[in-house]
Amino acid sequence: MDSVYEPIPSAKRPDTSYHPVLNDSPALSEKTASYPASPRQHRRSRVVLHWLWHFLSLLWIGPIIVLLYLNFSKHVIGASAWCPRGNCNAEAATDNAVQRAYQLDRQDHDVNGALQFVAKALEVWFVFIATSLIYDIGILFAKKGRGLPVGYLLSHLEFADIRYVFSPLLWTSPVPHRSSAPEKRAKIIKLYIFAIFTALLTILANLMGPATAVLVLPTLQWVQTPHLMDQTFNDTAVMYQPSGDKLFPQCTNAQLLARNYSCTQQVYGPSLDEWAAQGISASRQGKTANVDPILGSSQEAALTFLLNGTSQDLMWVPNRQVLRAMSHDYRKTSGAAAFDASPEFPDRVFNNSLQTFLQRQGPSLGVQFGCYAGNVTDLTLNDDRWIRCYTGWSSPGDPSSNYTKCLRLGIGSNDTKYTSQFYLENKDKKSPDHETGVGVYFADKAMYFNKSTDFGSNIGLCLNNASSANCDWDKVFDTPLPIELRNTSANVGVVSYQIPGENNTDARVYCDHVTYQSFPTYSVDTSRRTNPQNLVQMNYLPQVENATPLVVNPDWFLAAWSVDVETALDGNRQIVKELIRVLPAFWKVWGGNYDGEDVDLYDLYEFELLHLYALGQSLSMVNYYATDPPAHPSPNQKKELEKDKVHHPILHTYATIHVWAYGLSGRTSKLGVTVVILGCACVLARLILGISTGVQERSTVEVLASMFEHRHQGEFEGLEEEGHLAKVRYRIVEDGDGRQKFIPEKRASTWSHATNRG
């Protein structure tokens, strides 16, 4: 059993030396012509195949680089996963849209199915490469020291099965059997590193299929186009009187400066009346069906919009200047205006998408308002300064509270000189009043008091004795107020309505409001199938906290009503007739005279709705000023823009398109990138290892032949368990003909001696 293992004696091998008789025989020459190639020729062909396989392995990196480029560059394909030359028009604006969508969907299924085969091919390709890498490393271990454990001899054939990671032989084979000679700890650690590397490569090979599939298969994504025509917001005109030749159609700057706002009637008069009609219709529908009314919409150019409410009882109003710009964008991207296409909005980008949202960032004014009923009193301090007070005001947080709200008005009150007046013509012949006055006021400060408190301002005493030396009106209005009143006491606007047919000349229904500014993203779906009314939405509306309300010039309210200052509005207009109808009901219920008499309570809601629409119309008209930012800003300019972006933000214009595209938006795609990059590292490692060591992979038949050729030398005696057999080590060497020989660890020195002797 302990006999020395030696190679087959040369006498037992065929004698291939030259013999003049035998080699000159025609019959023998004919036979030897079909003999296998010589060992030298065999080694030469093996070398050629070795480097050819290295070259094919390196080619695997090519498609991987292409996939990484497509995903990192977020390459957009188009409306279909198969879009040759970027041309796959979805025809969303045509009558053939549904049929075209069906064709594209069927095409997408075919392409994605084919790409799954591509992903599988890349996976199989990588498994071949990983097999060679493990084989090369295993041969390096087998050629050195005491060789490689039996448990690792076929690891390159077993590793692709994920169960191999959990095989006990993988983790126990490095430790020699107790019957073997002791092994240095460093060598055992090296074998464990080989085991860990094999386990990691097993996991990598099993992840390669899903990883390549994630990168190969495009997905339907919402993709933003590059920002176009960015502008820097400078200021809003809300605190100034409406002006400018281009602000309203049919209005000149001279008319606006003269406060002749009836010039807006042709375009915006019907717009406000339509809003009023929609509000009344929604109220009646809600009353009949016992449902919440739906807010009406208004139109600007080619788009429509709604008022947007938030949880803070704020109503955000879209800006018509932004809407006009968006309408211009819409015409450039819709089929109705193909003649107006521009490089900024190329038709191909949008036609090759399943859906397109045009988006613009722009200003929006949000208003918080409440309507009340009470008596009004005016206290004149001097020719250009007076105090106006309304009773019956209640806090939004406490409807049962009953305050008197006072405003300081006039030129001498910190420039709070904004007041406007007009009238509503009353066509009701039964009414004694032919006109109903409407006053619009703005005050920088408001003060509250009731029977129990004036918050230390002494305003009640001063109202009774305005000439008292103790009445410092600036101090009165600077008195701190509790938090629930603070938000409605700075930069306050009030619209005050007289009551038709009411004998009490001091009776008023009044609505106060505060106004804030934000910069939402306006968005419009350009598809006529999903958005037939071209409705614009506003996204990213903020929550207002500790913000200072804006100064609002009351003349914007007159421009919304299309009425000149101190003149009467035509009583035939829809909104005028409806206000004249509902004002008495609101006064009866909230003015303190309601005794349960027959009043349609929906009239109260309709009044607030009509006032809201008028208020929304006025704030939607406010224009703003913006400039183009520097094309190539310096570092200091960038710092200034960043520092001032809260009050002067950059307004972006772009589109969001629904297309088939590549990208790394999800965690799975990022995991896929990690896996394929590790795969590329394995390919390069295998190439470097092949160049530096020259290890040539043997086929399974060659390995088995070498094993069968090995003569047993007792290395397995006494070992019956699989785990013990796997610990036996063999050293692999090559004979003079390049054939592999397996040498047991105990006989390694004997084989070397026999080889040298031969």
Side-chain angles (χ1 to χ4, degrees), residues 385-400:
R385 193 178 185 193
W386 76 96
I387 307 296
R388 167 163 279 222
C389 297
Y390 294 93
T391 62
W393 190 90
S394 58
S395 169
D398 183 12
S400 62

Side-chain angles (χ1 to χ4, degrees), residues 553-572:
N553 192 303
D555 276 17
W556 288 105
F557 201 78
L558 272 67
W561 283 81
S562 304
V563 61
D564 300 339
V565 67
E566 298 291 346
T567 61
L569 199 59
D570 185 0
N572 291 316

Side-chain angles (χ1 to χ4, degrees), residues 33 75 202 294 329 332 363 372 412 464 479 529 566 664 746 758:
H75 175 69
T202 298
I294 300 175
D329 299 341
K332 287 179 178 292
Y372 316 92
N464 293 327
T479 302
R529 292 186 294 112
E566 298 291 346
L664 303 175
K746 294 180 181 179

